[in-house]
């Protein structure tokens, strides 16, 4: 177990960054088309080809989910993943044509340092193509991929992931790019809101802490819709779109467990969900509930890990990383 | 400050119970029609006249929200609140007619003891009428109103409430009837999941605890859609339906903070939101975010208070109350 979303059989992840631009892309690529679903609890989403994920829409399966920096410009990224997949014969068959299904979402890092003067053609499609080429079982957390330019309130944000296995043997994992308006720490303390859910010291093992005096002060990165935390959760259970939508909604609780506040008007919080169906048996009602519960907790843990793993970028303006502020190693 | 939703100017609450039936109703009555909104994150909702709460629907304001036991039978309850309001000349004017707007939701307590053999006419409309008559600034928590027959997994459920004031002076409050499939305590320990958000020992002041060995075991009341936690959040800010829907969604995070798991397939979790507009000034973007954050935390605190305040019913079958199991007073 890597404690990554790639512990879910059938899921690969790759990232690519442009240091000059100060932004990047992360692609969750499914070895075979996976059932897809979505929850959109945030107030400022930037989403491409997400409408087809509703249970009543015709297409059932996705080839990849794409997380990107660049705000709405970053919605060019899924095009690069489509090109990569099309070259390999992947995609929804429409007669002789193939249309890779690669819903994507973007977070706001336009003012987080780096040169965003890309002119008529953004770098995001090429970044997504490169990320798809690198997709595999291992990938970097922290200042990487879609989390490269991310900030989390007054700290550097980043890319996080975590996994778990249910009592019935189903795999669950989460991938997240944390660019939140709210704080993932309890005020100005190093203690994470998600501390109750930490496993094996995966984000420092500091526990809930003594309670910071400013834990409940409202500290936001700003009042503009200039944030967004983007997540993918995956399981190897064989769910249809309707049950997987329940998983996406349950998983969205992970935002509330890890970020204060969650679901705000300036965050475009989105959860993509994928079911690879690689598990040996059919999931029952209790499996559904347990997978949803663990999806929420994997997402909360992944959010904390994303910030915990980040390193400060040598760009201006910039935010200090959790490690720069509190780390000892 | 009562630490009740009635700390929000313009909000009154009343409850009524039928001990023989083992069920009850709670009405949140607005002194003047309040802007209304909703979030429905649960998988098994029982809802009446909730469709009109969507931002694009014509009616803007509600006269009351009604929480009821009785599963879908309990959706008779809003009719009793309508009768009470119609007698007093309240309601949406349609020419000479008046239609009180009283959206309602119900929780499942049909198998929680008591005589549910009511024949052709359920008791819920009369209970709602009686609850509306009693509506005022004070009301009982615990085994009362819509929480009278409620269970919370392996404990007695109940009616909870809490309030807060934002840094800008806006009032926020939550009312909840806790009948959750999941646990509000950390496994078999007395410590509440919502402990990080507790104020002034309002649910025992026990803190987060040392961590129960079974905290992360999936303990549910069952696999049937036979639960539901119902909430009302209110503020005195003057929001339109769209911004108030953002508040309802943000508030729903309180389920995740207080119940494990939240948003499951067997819970009909619903948040009604009301804006009374009695505050002296207009809310800005930051006020919106802070009100939403506090709405989530008030809801989490109210959930813990509802279970903490409950007493065991002398009905069979029954669940022991938190106080019976762990209380000293």
């Amino acid at each position: 177990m890597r404690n990554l979303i790639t512990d879910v059989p059938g899921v690969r992840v790759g990232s690519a960054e442009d240091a000059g631009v100060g932004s990047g892309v992360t692609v969750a690529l499914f070895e075979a088309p996976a059932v897809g679903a979505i929850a959109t609890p945030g107030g400022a989403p930037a989403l491409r080809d997400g409408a087809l994920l509703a249970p009543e829409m015709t297409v059932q399966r996705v080839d990849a989910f794409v997380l990107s920096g660049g705000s709405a410009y970053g919605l060019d990224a899924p095009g690069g993943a489509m090109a990569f997949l099309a070259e390999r014969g992947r995609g929804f068959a429409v007669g002789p044509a193939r249309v890779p299904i690669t819903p994507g979402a973007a977070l706001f890092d336009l003012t987080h340092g780096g040169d965003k003067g890309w002119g008529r053609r953004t770098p995001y499609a090429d970044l997504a193509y490169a990320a798809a080429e690198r997709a595999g079982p291992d990938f970097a957390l922290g200042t990487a991929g879609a989390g490269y330019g991310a900030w989390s309130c007054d700290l550097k944000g980043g890319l996080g992931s975590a996994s778990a296995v249910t009592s019935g043997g189903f795999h669950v994992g989460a991938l997240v790019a944390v660019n939140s308006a709210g704080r993932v720490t309890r005020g100005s303390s190093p203690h994470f809101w998600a501390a109750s859910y930490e496993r094996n010291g995966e984000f420092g093992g500091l526990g809930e802490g003594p309670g910071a005096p400013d834990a409940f002060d409202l500290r936001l990165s700003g009042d503009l819709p200039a944030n967004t935390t983007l997540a993918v959760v995956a399981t190897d259970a064989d769910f249809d779109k309707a049950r997987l939508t329940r998983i996406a909604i349950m998983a969205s609780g992970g935002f509330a467990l890890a970020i204060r506040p969650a679901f705000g008007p300036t965050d475009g919080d989105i959860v993509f969900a994928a079911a690879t169906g690689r598990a040996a048996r059919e999931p029952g009602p209790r499996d559904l509930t347990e997978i949803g519960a663990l999806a929420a907790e994997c997402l909360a843990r992944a959010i904390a890990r994303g910030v915990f793993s980040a390193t400060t970028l040598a760009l201006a303006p910039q935010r200090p990383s959790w490690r720069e502020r509190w780390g000892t190693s």
Side-chain angles (χ1 to χ4, degrees), chain A residues 140-177:
Chain A
L141 300 186
T143 303
Y148 189 80
W151 293 352
S152 175
C153 193
D154 52 350
L155 293 175
K156 180 75 182 75
L159 193 70
S161 194
S163 72
V165 179
T166 72
S167 61
F170 291 99
H171 290 81
V172 185
L175 171 72
V176 66

Side-chain angles (χ1 to χ4, degrees), chain A residues 153 180-185 193 215-222 227 229 255-267 269:
Chain A
C153 193
S180 56
R183 275 176 158 162
V184 301
T185 55
W193 284 113
F216 293 99
D217 293 353
L218 187 71
R219 179 75 178 266
L220 299 174
S221 62
N227 300 280
T229 297
F255 289 125
L257 299 179
I259 306 172
R260 181 179 192 274
F263 312 153
T266 66
D267 277 303
D269 301 336

